[in-house]
């Protein structure tokens, strides 16, 4: 079946450090890939998406590239801020039909001043 | 921009009671999804609707039912509540279910069962 594997957290960084959160997936066909962010007490916000191989999604300084050869969609940011502290979820959606999102287990990011 | 509206934001019930959660999708969105998120867990898909018809079904207990109305809002009805139903319930909406259509989430309803 379809699944998403994320690196375990928490990831603890100092402000302005480089961020990588690893995400790999297993799926049949060509799924669409997403990163969502969840701040404490809030819902999930779409951060970025990519719908086909080699697409790069980017938003608010975050980016991720759809790598079909390595079935990966790693999230990166060049310089994190304290306000980036949140839980990040990688998710996939099959390419056909009204498909549900399949989420990874989430990675908590803690950024200190 | 208008977002997905869920009500209530918090709900406290006792075992064996019933609960109804409501979801109002983003205007012009015709597809609604329901997810359940336990403490420290990832969201798990429950059920979805497109144009008022059920489009997919996940791990939704038989005690739960849902529907989408003519104005596209959706309601999740939960009966015979159990302690294990305590969770955050999210609704998401999209325009169609295509792969390139992202799902936009509401802030959720936190359900606590005493």
């Amino acid at each position: 079946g379809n699944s998403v594997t994320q690196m375990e957290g928490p990831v603890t960084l100092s402000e302005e450090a480089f961020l990588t959160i690893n995400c790999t997936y297993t799926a049949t066909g060509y799924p669409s890939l997403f990163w969502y962010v969840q701040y404490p007490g809030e819902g999930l916000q779409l951060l970025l998406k990519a719908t086909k191989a080699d697409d790069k999604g980017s938003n608010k300084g975050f980016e991720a590239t759809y790598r079909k050869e390595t079935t990966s969609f790693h999230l990166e940011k060049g310089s994190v801020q304290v306000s980036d502290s949140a839980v990040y979820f990688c998710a996939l959606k099959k390419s056909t039909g009204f498909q549900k999102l399949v989420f990874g287990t989430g990675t908590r990011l803690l950024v200190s001043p | 921009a208008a977002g997905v509206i869920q009500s209530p934001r918090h709900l406290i019930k006792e075992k064996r009671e019933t609960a109804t959660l409501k979801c109002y999708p983003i205007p012009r969105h015709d597809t609604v999804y329901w997810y359940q998120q336990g403490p420290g867990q990832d969201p798990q898909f429950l059920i979805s609707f497109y144009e008022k018809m059920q489009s997919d079904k996940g791990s939704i207990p038989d005690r739960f039912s849902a529907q989408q109305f003519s104005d596209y809002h959706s309601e999740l009805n939960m009966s015979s509540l159990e302690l294990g139903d305590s969770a955050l319930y999210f609704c998401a909406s999209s325009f169609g279910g295509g792969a390139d259509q992202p799902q936009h989430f509401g802030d959720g309803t936190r359900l606590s069962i005493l």
Side-chain angles (χ1 to χ4, degrees):
Chain A
N2 301 319
S3 65
V4 176
T5 302
Q6 285 182 241
M7 62 189 291
E8 287 200 22
V11 173
T12 305
L13 295 173
S14 298
E15 206 166 24
E16 299 183 3
F18 184 86
L19 168 71
T20 299
I21 299 178
N22 291 336
C23 170
T24 57
Y25 68 90
T26 301
T28 54
Y30 303 94
S32 293
L33 301 173
F34 303 86
W35 277 101
Y36 282 85
V37 58
Q38 187 175 31
Y39 298 98
E42 297 185 14
L44 295 117
Q45 298 177 24
L46 176 66
L47 186 57
L48 52 84
K49 69 172 185 177
T51 58
K52 61 183 186 298
D54 300 324
D55 265 2
K56 177 185 281 189
S58 61
N59 185 27
K60 300 180 181 179
F62 291 90
E63 59 182 35
T65 301
Y66 189 141
R67 301 286 188 201
K68 185 162 178 59
E69 64 275 13
T70 54
T71 61
S72 64
F73 193 54
H74 304 321
L75 182 68
E76 297 181 336
K77 187 176 185 184
S79 176
V80 294
Q81 306 300 312
V82 172
S83 57
D84 293 327
S85 298
V87 179
Y88 292 80
F89 289 95
C90 184
L92 69 79
K93 186 179 181 189
K94 285 173 62 177
S95 58
T96 56
F98 295 89
Q99 297 294 340
K100 60 183 181 288
L101 284 167
V102 175
F103 288 91
T105 52
T107 302
R108 181 174 298 278
L109 171 65
L110 300 171
V111 181
S112 56
Chain B
V4 176
I5 305 296
Q6 290 187 246
S7 67
R9 288 296 310 276
H10 303 274
L11 190 57
I12 299 174
K13 291 287 184 178
E14 296 192 353
K15 286 194 303 183
R16 293 180 288 277
E17 286 192 322
T18 62
T20 297
L21 310 185
K22 297 185 178 183
C23 169
Y24 297 86
I26 291 172
R28 293 187 298 282
H29 280 193
D30 50 17
T31 307
V32 169
Y33 304 79
W34 286 97
Y35 293 84
Q36 178 192 58
Q37 185 180 31
Q41 297 180 6
D42 56 294
Q44 296 293 313
F45 171 72
L46 293 176
I47 196 166
S48 63
F49 293 88
Y50 167 69
E51 287 288 349
K52 293 150 281 184
M53 298 291 289
Q54 180 180 307
S55 54
D56 197 6
K57 189 173 181 180
S59 52
I60 183 168
D62 292 340
R63 300 177 288 108
F64 295 4
S65 65
Q67 62 183 107
Q68 185 180 33
F69 295 85
S70 57
D71 64 350
Y72 296 105
H73 94 272
S74 179
E75 296 184 2
L76 178 66
N77 299 294
M78 311 161 74
S79 63
S80 302
L81 289 167
E82 303 173 356
L83 293 177
D85 297 329
S86 295
L88 199 51
Y89 290 84
F90 287 111
C91 171
S93 74
S94 68
F95 180 70
D100 61 340
Q101 296 298 326
Q103 295 175 24
H104 298 271
F105 284 74
D107 284 340
T109 294
R110 184 170 297 281
L111 176 63
S112 300
I113 309 301
L114 302 180

